[in-house]
Amino acid sequence: MMKLFVLSLTALTLLLFVGCEPNEFKEGVVMAGGQYVPAATLNKGKQIYSEYCMACHGVNGDGNGVASKGLQPPPRNFKLGIIKFGNVVSGELTHDDAVYKSFKHGLNGSAMLPWDLKQGQMVAVWQYIKTFAPDTWIGKDKKLGEKLDRQTFKDPFTMARKEQAIELGKKVYHVEANCQSCHRGYVTLAEYDAMSKELTGDGIDELDEDFYQLKIQGSDHDYQVIPPDYTWHELRSVRTGDKEIEDIYLRLLAGVGGTGMPAWKDTLEDHKIWALAYYVNHLRSFKDSPKRKNFVSRFK
Ligand code: HEC
Ligand code: HEC
């Protein structure tokens, strides 16, 4: 009898405590894409957020949590409503599964580590995070972007024609897409000149002063961003293993939200985007390798 009494007393205090929480959700909301999220899910998400995420992302979701000091890149400011690694053309609203992938695998080279959350926990915490940017995410009228769906991806090269893809990717990278206008170049003047003549008919007399340098730049996030050197930096949204080409291809199609990194979908022909993915992945193979020194020393 006594036990029961104590139990119900604890339950009552718990209830009172939760009831007093000023931000407790009493009603569900309709998120972008017409998804109804019940209050219970948001409350569960808030609990998970407070426990695991708040230290970096902050009480108000502004990215200024107690553990955020000095982190490079800084934790995402959720109030801005911008996701970098979505599965839609950047600038549009992403589908949830792209964000769940980032939870599961983390964002390489950042403090955002992989999280061992169950599906229900990922859903709850992400729906809660959306409430930090209601103007972006909440409302029946809000539409998600067209999903860049992995199921529909068709690699025209496959590993069998890998070398061919890398060769084409190298040309597209430096001549057609001019990726080194933000990132850096990975060819000598002689190679650049020859590739340019082949593709455009015009040669190159000299390299821009910053051809081999990364161009640090502003962004819609509240800090400057650094286009990676693939032979040196980790690529945030790219896993190692048999999915790496596909991960890079998706990133090139979609771009990186809120940064200068463009979505190349419909700007370049599809097979050229695949070729670029092979080329970028080839450059990644120099990372942490003794071969890197030799490779980059050609570009001085
Ligand atoms: C140790 C600090 C830290 C913790 C703890 C942390 N994050 Fe992050 N998070 C980061 C950083 C740093 C970034 C930004 C990475 C970047 O810009 O590439 C980030 C980015 C994100 C993004 C943005 C992804 C995108 O594509 O823009 C989401 C969503 C996110 N975190 C959710 C969470 C959730 C949910 C938790 C708790 C389960 C959590 N984070 C815990 C540091 C942290
Ligand atoms: C206008 C500037 C700009 C141009 C042009 C540009 N990028 Fe980027 N790129 C960026 C920036 C900035 C980032 C880093 C975004 C971040 O993580 O904050 C980036 C990131 C990337 C990433 C890493 C994605 C990840 O998961 O971390 C890859 C790969 C990439 N770019 C490839 C390319 C290729 C290939 C081209 C040419 C076809 C290109 N970029 C052209 C600015 C640019």
Side-chain angles (χ1 to χ4, degrees):
M1 194 63 198
M2 190 60 195
K3 243 189 192 162
L4 232 154
F5 177 68
V6 173
L7 257 176
S8 49
L9 205 81
T10 330
L12 198 75
T13 350
L14 259 174
L15 258 174
L16 273 174
F17 182 71
V18 174
C20 288
E21 276 275 290
N23 293 328
E24 195 205 347
F25 294 89
K26 304 234 163 35
E27 283 170 31
V29 293
V30 179
M31 295 286 183
Q35 184 183 2
Y36 175 75
V37 182
T41 305
L42 296 173
N43 287 319
K44 176 178 162 186
K46 182 177 179 178
Q47 208 180 348
I48 297 166
Y49 182 84
S50 308
E51 196 167 339
Y52 301 120
C53 324
M54 197 163 79
C56 284
H57 290 285
V59 187
N60 305 316
D62 61 4
N64 290 323
V66 289
S68 70
K69 305 283 167 301
L71 291 184
Q72 250 349 301
R76 186 73 65 259
N77 173 357
F78 296 128
K79 296 183 116 174
L80 299 175
I82 309 169
I83 282 299
K84 279 190 187 175
F85 306 104
N87 54 7
V88 294
V89 162
S90 66
E92 301 190 344
L93 295 183
T94 187
H95 296 258
D96 294 345
D97 54 336
V99 179
Y100 301 156
K101 176 180 170 266
S102 301
F103 291 172
K104 247 186 250 163
H105 300 283
L107 296 172
N108 306 318
S110 86
M112 180 69 188
L113 301 175
W115 290 94
D116 191 11
L117 298 173
K118 298 198 181 73
Q119 179 71 17
Q121 292 178 305
M122 293 198 290
V123 171
V125 74
W126 171 230
Q127 304 314 318
Y128 171 66
I129 288 173
K130 287 178 184 172
T131 66
F132 290 128
D135 291 349
T136 304
W137 291 109
I138 298 182
K140 288 203 275 282
D141 51 321
K142 307 261 178 10
K143 293 211 164 48
L144 303 180
E146 184 200 336
K147 184 166 169 177
L148 305 170
D149 188 351
R150 288 170 187 275
Q151 307 302 321
T152 65
F153 292 176
K154 268 213 181 71
D155 175 356
F157 295 99
T158 71
M159 281 300 159
R161 292 170 66 223
K162 177 178 151 194
E163 295 307 323
Q164 218 175 321
I166 293 171
E167 270 317 296
L168 176 62
K170 184 170 161 182
K171 291 176 196 161
V172 176
Y173 184 97
H174 292 95
V175 181
E176 193 171 347
N178 201 19
C179 306
Q180 71 274 10
S181 66
C182 293
H183 296 261
R184 53 161 292 176
Y186 299 92
V187 288
T188 60
L189 173 60
E191 285 175 286
Y192 190 27
D193 179 54
M195 290 188 317
S196 180
K197 276 193 184 119
E198 184 193 330
L199 258 68
T200 69
D202 289 329
I204 305 277
D205 297 330
E206 61 177 340
L207 296 176
D208 289 341
E209 230 170 71
D210 56 2
F211 188 82
Y212 296 124
Q213 275 147 36
L214 304 173
K215 290 82 179 172
I216 296 174
Q217 48 198 264
S219 74
D220 298 340
H221 302 275
D222 25 25
Y223 57 88
Q224 293 198 304
V225 291
I226 311 170
D229 172 349
Y230 326 99
T231 71
W232 183 258
H233 292 109
E234 303 251 21
L235 304 188
R236 303 271 156 70
S237 67
V238 178
R239 290 167 283 179
T240 354
D242 60 348
K243 293 281 195 285
E244 53 198 0
I245 303 274
E246 193 183 293
D247 281 357
I248 301 171
Y249 171 73
L250 170 62
R251 193 52 42 220
L252 298 178
L253 279 185
V256 178
T259 78
M261 173 62 192
W264 293 94
K265 182 178 186 287
D266 300 332
T267 303
L268 291 170
E269 290 160 80
D270 192 59
H271 75 282
K272 291 183 178 167
I273 303 179
W274 280 105
L276 281 168
Y278 276 90
Y279 179 58
V280 167
N281 197 45
H282 165 70
L283 292 170
R284 277 176 83 222
S285 71
F286 290 99
K287 183 171 152 44
D288 302 328
S289 153
K291 289 183 302 177
R292 181 178 190 271
K293 207 168 155 214
N294 241 339
F295 178 68
V296 292
S297 65
R298 295 163 57 230
F299 311 134
K300 292 268 158 65

